[in-house]
């Protein structure tokens, strides 16, 4: 229940902040979807997701978690969940 709320909160923030304009574009050959954005925000935090979008997943904007999983991998892996 908490995770469902968390996902819905991210989705509402993405739309409210106009970041849904990135949906349908590509970053590093991967289509940006709402589910992909939520996954990126989950991994890198909401501000990290914004930076990832603005920098198009380049350089330090493509942060990774403690396991070395990059935000770009989450974008691709969770684009259609």
């Amino acid at each position: 229940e908490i995770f469902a709320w968390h996902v819905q909160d991210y989705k509402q923030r993405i739309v409210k902040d106009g970041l849904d304009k990135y949906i349908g574009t590509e970053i590093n050959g991967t289509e940006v979807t709402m589910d992909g954005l939520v996954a990126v925000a989950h991994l890198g935090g909401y501000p990290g997701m914004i930076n990832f979008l603005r920098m198009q997943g380049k350089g330090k904007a493509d942060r990774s978690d403690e396991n070395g999983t990059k935000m770009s991998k989450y974008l691709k892996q969770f684009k259609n969940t």
Side-chain angles (χ1 to χ4, degrees):
E1 189 174 308
I2 291 172
F3 185 73
W5 171 85
H6 183 61
V7 167
Q8 191 59 33
D9 181 56
Y10 273 149
K11 288 180 179 182
Q12 289 173 349
R13 289 176 70 187
I14 288 166
V15 171
K16 179 180 172 250
D17 293 343
L19 301 173
D20 54 335
K21 70 182 179 187
Y22 289 96
I23 294 173
T25 65
E26 286 191 3
I27 295 179
N28 299 329
T30 299
E31 181 183 359
V32 176
T33 64
M34 180 63 81
D35 289 337
L37 290 179
V38 169
V40 169
H42 178 73
L43 184 137
Y46 194 79
M49 185 257 314
I50 292 171
N51 191 43
F52 177 82
L53 288 172
R54 290 188 177 147
M55 298 297 294
Q56 293 293 292
K58 294 180 182 150
K60 292 181 182 179
D62 193 7
R63 296 174 29 196
S64 59
D65 66 9
E66 61 275 354
N67 297 314
T69 305
K70 291 191 169 282
M71 294 165 81
S72 56
K73 182 174 182 178
Y74 264 44
L75 181 69
K76 186 174 187 174
Q77 183 175 349
F78 294 99
K79 71 178 189 165
N80 294 319
T81 57

